[in-house]
Amino acid sequence: MAGWVRVSEAEAEAHRLFGLGGWLRVVSALMVLAVPGGVVVAWQQWMDPALGGAALASNLLSLLVLGVQVGMAVLWFRRWPGFRLAYAAFAVLGTALLALADQAIGPPPGPPSTDPVGELVLEAAFHLTFLAAMQFSRRFRVTFEHRVRAGDVSCASA
């Protein structure tokens, strides 16, 4: 694989792959949907009487997750150059911390609504797929990091 060359912001914006088009539209839609989805989950957690003594911890955790979702959406739409690293930290640390918090808080009384291991595997697969797509996507690199492939002739003045 060819190396990546940093270009100016103007050169990146002139590149044919610059912008939140292509597969990045799907991610943009998911970022938009994650925020109201997070609000719904936080509200459900807040109003769930089955949590008992773990209600405060669960409520604070759901508000923290909502805050992180909003933060990631802001970084995405501002096309922050460090988004890939921030998302990797969110994926690894966030998934691990949520799994630990779920273990510490414990499940609500009654039958389990989901399989926690299956849910963790599905979440990890989603994060790894998205991280791999960011790593190898020319569109992502041009739009967020202002980098093009060394052999890319459409923006070769680097």
Side-chain angles (χ1 to χ4, degrees), residues 127-141:
H127 290 311
L128 288 174
T129 302
F130 183 44
L131 285 167
M134 285 189 284
Q135 178 67 24
F136 297 109
S137 171
R138 292 173 61 205
R139 181 178 295 278
F140 180 85
R141 293 279 183 121

Side-chain angles (χ1 to χ4, degrees), residues 23 84 87-93 95 119-137:
W23 74 274
R84 186 164 39 118
Y87 188 84
F90 161 72
V92 172
L93 294 174
T95 301
E119 190 176 309
L120 185 64
V121 167
L122 185 63
E123 187 174 339
F126 173 81
H127 290 311
L128 288 174
T129 302
F130 183 44
L131 285 167
M134 285 189 284
Q135 178 67 24
F136 297 109
S137 171

Side-chain angles (χ1 to χ4, degrees), residues 76-100:
W76 176 263
F77 286 109
R78 296 206 32 108
R79 296 188 310 263
W80 185 54
F83 181 84
R84 186 164 39 118
L85 181 60
Y87 188 84
F90 161 72
V92 172
L93 294 174
T95 301
L97 291 175
L98 283 175
L100 288 174

